[in-house]
Amino acid sequence: MIVNERQTQEGLLVAVCDEDVLGETFEDGELSLTVTEEFYGTDVVDERAAVESLAQADVANIVGTRAVELAVEEGFVDEANVLEVGATLHAQLLQMQ
């Protein structure tokens, strides 16, 4: 998995994606999702490290079947809030404090 962390005005933003979706564009009707290096980064980590990053996130964007499944399994995202965009999955996380 690829993880990118950055501080924003809203807190820690974590972007997570499966390695195989980086550089891809997914479309579903009017919805288009492009998974860019600029946003998701290039740092490859194991699943444990991805979970640790998501646990610290105030905001997260998650793309890719395995990355989203992991976020659901670990309780970060409710499966009912997962979007299918073309051939991949996408979810967002916002921690309210």
Side-chain angles (χ1 to χ4, degrees):
M1 261 173 231
I2 296 173
V3 173
N4 188 19
E5 296 181 355
R6 68 174 76 71
Q7 284 293 332
T8 70
Q9 290 180 334
E10 291 77 30
L12 181 64
L13 169 64
V14 176
V16 180
C17 71
D18 291 349
E19 289 178 69
D20 65 341
V21 301
L22 190 64
E24 299 291 328
T25 296
F26 301 93
E27 296 181 344
D28 185 14
E30 303 235 346
L31 181 62
S32 179
L33 173 66
T34 301
V35 187
T36 64
E37 267 186 27
E38 293 80 22
F39 187 78
Y40 289 90
T42 58
D43 291 336
V44 178
V45 301
D46 62 20
E47 289 186 1
R48 181 185 49 77
V51 168
E52 289 173 2
S53 288
L54 287 171
Q56 300 301 313
D58 295 299
V59 179
N61 281 285
I62 309 158
V63 179
T65 301
R66 183 62 198 134
V68 172
E69 286 175 350
L70 181 65
V72 170
E73 289 167 12
E74 295 293 328
F76 296 112
V77 174
D78 187 306
E79 192 169 3
N81 296 321
V82 172
L83 297 175
E84 288 185 37
V85 182
T88 198
L89 300 178
H90 174 65
Q92 294 182 321
L93 165 69
L94 175 62
Q95 296 286 359
M96 303 298 283
Q97 307 213 1

